Amino acid sequence: GAGVSQSPSNKVTEKGKDVELRCDPISGHTALYWYRQSLGQGLEFLIYFQGNSAPDKSGLPSDRFSAERTGGSVSTLTIQRTQQEDSAVYLCASSPRLVAGGSDTQYFGPGTRLTVL
Amino acid sequence: AQSVTQLGSHVSVSEGALVLLRCNYSSSVPPYLFWYVQYPNQGLQLLLKYTTGATLVKGINGFEAEFKKSETSFHLTKPSAHMSDAAEYFCAVTRTGANNLFFGTGTRLTVIP
């Protein structure tokens, strides 16, 4: 079946502009995660959605970052007033969350490479 | 708090040689441990994971890892390296009730023909 898809694959923007990154999870997966992969920081958790529960936003680095998940499926990560330090690969993952707790396998998309000039 | 340390950001092996990628974790509760592989310009793909039960875990592509609680380690091994194994490998830890994975900084594996 189809895996996690993300768009765009590459995004170049100017400092101060807003960007939106999209994630389509695997059909039927109730859990959705956003991570950021950058040279200096490695892979960092950003935000987690599970069903209709309030999202876990504990990893968002600043209030310029926000995300939403509509209809329990597609998610959009928005970065406002982008800064050069936001340049990174943004990875989305989904999991079926069959059991409570962290043992689920997370399935990752190919990522969006964001470059802020 | 949970964290992962991967010793060696770069590892080179000859084709056919043993692959050993090291991972040590820190966790105050029983951990769940994962190894992911990332090929260039692709997302992460699960190689194997340990949750409970047998401490020697076998994964895809001939890889395996052993959970050693006394050593807080989860090293990844493969008896014989193939050229196609060249990639970046990430160890990750989480725990029951957690919402996210904590990743190590990754190890880039180069396979020399």
Side-chain angles (χ1 to χ4, degrees):
Chain A
V4 177
S5 61
Q6 294 185 243
S7 60
S9 56
N10 281 283
K11 176 71 176 179
V12 180
T13 190
E14 294 179 347
K15 179 181 174 182
K17 300 284 190 182
D18 297 351
V19 295
E20 287 188 349
L21 312 179
R22 176 186 169 105
C23 172
D24 282 87
I26 292 172
S27 177
H29 281 191
T30 59
L32 187 147
Y33 316 75
W34 283 97
Y35 292 86
R36 178 170 70 175
Q37 185 175 23
S38 56
L39 283 176
Q41 302 298 325
L43 273 156
E44 304 171 279
F45 165 72
L46 296 177
I47 189 168
Y48 161 76
F49 296 90
Q50 169 57 22
N52 295 320
S53 303
D56 175 358
K57 304 179 182 180
S58 60
L60 294 179
S62 77
D63 59 8
R64 297 186 295 104
F65 287 73
S66 63
E68 63 178 18
R69 189 178 185 191
T70 55
S73 182
V74 172
S75 177
T76 302
L77 177 69
T78 300
I79 309 173
Q80 296 179 308
R81 306 180 303 281
T82 52
Q83 303 295 312
Q84 288 182 333
E85 60 262 29
D86 299 334
S87 295
V89 176
Y90 290 82
L91 293 168
C92 176
S94 69
S95 74
R97 202 73 176 186
L98 296 174
V99 294
S103 61
D104 258 16
T105 296
Q106 295 182 24
Y107 297 85
F108 284 79
T112 293
R113 181 175 298 276
L114 175 65
T115 303
V116 182
L117 301 177
Chain B
Q2 295 182 293
S3 65
V4 169
T5 301
Q6 291 184 242
L7 292 176
S9 58
H10 291 84
V11 170
S12 293
V13 300
S14 297
E15 190 175 14
L18 171 72
V19 176
L20 170 60
L21 304 182
R22 300 179 185 274
C23 172
N24 288 87
Y25 69 90
S26 172
S27 178
S28 57
V29 297
Y32 300 134
L33 294 158
F34 302 76
W35 275 101
Y36 280 86
V37 61
Q38 186 177 34
Y39 298 102
N41 299 315
Q42 295 187 27
L44 280 70
Q45 179 183 6
L46 181 72
L47 279 175
L48 48 80
K49 68 179 182 181
Y50 168 80
T51 55
T52 59
T55 56
L56 180 62
V57 180
K58 295 186 184 298
I60 63 171
N61 301 338
F63 284 94
E64 63 183 37
E66 186 170 11
F67 169 58
K68 292 187 176 181
K69 183 178 178 180
S70 61
E71 299 177 6
T72 62
S73 69
F74 191 57
H75 302 330
L76 182 71
T77 61
K78 181 175 180 177
S80 177
H82 293 172
M83 296 299 296
S84 60
D85 294 328
E88 188 148 21
Y89 292 79
F90 292 91
C91 182
V93 64
T94 189
R95 58 168 174 75
T96 186
N99 292 334
N100 61 283
L101 295 168
F102 296 88
F103 285 91
T105 50
T107 298
R108 183 169 299 277
L109 176 67
T110 300
V111 181
I112 304 166

